[in-house]
């Protein structure tokens, strides 16, 4: 089943994100290589593809996991969690309708 992992950053998270980004991306690339990743990306703090120093307000990952518990465990092990980037992380079942 698909799950949406919706993460909200702490204020001024950019300095925390930068050093943890390579490990964060490596985990997403593993999901992609396994054919389980639908989409992933940050939520810019301003209306721009490149928000610069404004940084990001959170992240969204939609991926396939065997269960909600496994999706939650994967989200809990994110390097951004360990780095203190996220203030809150929600994991919810997701039903893809389109495209």
């Amino acid at each position: 089943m698909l799950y949406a992992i919706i993460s909200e950053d702490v204020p001024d998270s950019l300095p925390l994100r930068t050093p943890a980004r390579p490990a964060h991306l490596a985990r997403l690339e593993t999901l992609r290589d396994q054919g389980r990743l639908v989409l992933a990306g940050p939520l810019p703090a301003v209306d721009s593809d490149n928000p610069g120093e404004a940084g990001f307000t959170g992240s969204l990952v939609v991926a396939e996991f065997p269960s909600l518990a496994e999706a939650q465990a994967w989200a809990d092990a994110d390097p951004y969690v360990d780095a203190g980037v996220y203030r809150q992380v929600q994991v919810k079942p997701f039903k893809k309708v389109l495209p």
Side-chain angles (χ1 to χ4, degrees), residues 12-99:
D12 302 315
S13 63
L14 195 57
L16 301 171
R17 275 179 169 266
T18 303
R21 188 170 188 263
H24 172 78
L25 290 178
R27 295 177 80 238
L28 292 168
E29 289 166 354
T30 298
L31 284 179
R32 179 200 61 205
D33 295 347
Q34 294 170 345
R36 297 169 47 203
L37 183 65
V38 174
L39 64 88
L43 305 171
V46 295
D47 189 12
S48 172
D49 283 342
N50 183 3
E53 291 300 314
F56 302 94
T57 62
S59 301
L60 172 64
V61 174
V62 178
E64 183 179 344
F65 292 92
S67 69
L68 178 59
E70 291 184 57
Q72 184 68 60
W74 187 89
D76 290 344
D78 193 304
Y80 281 174
V81 171
D82 292 339
V85 172
Y86 294 147
R87 180 175 77 123
Q88 177 181 336
V89 178
Q90 292 182 307
V91 180
K92 299 181 176 190
F94 180 80
K95 182 178 176 182
K96 182 178 176 183
V97 175
L98 293 172

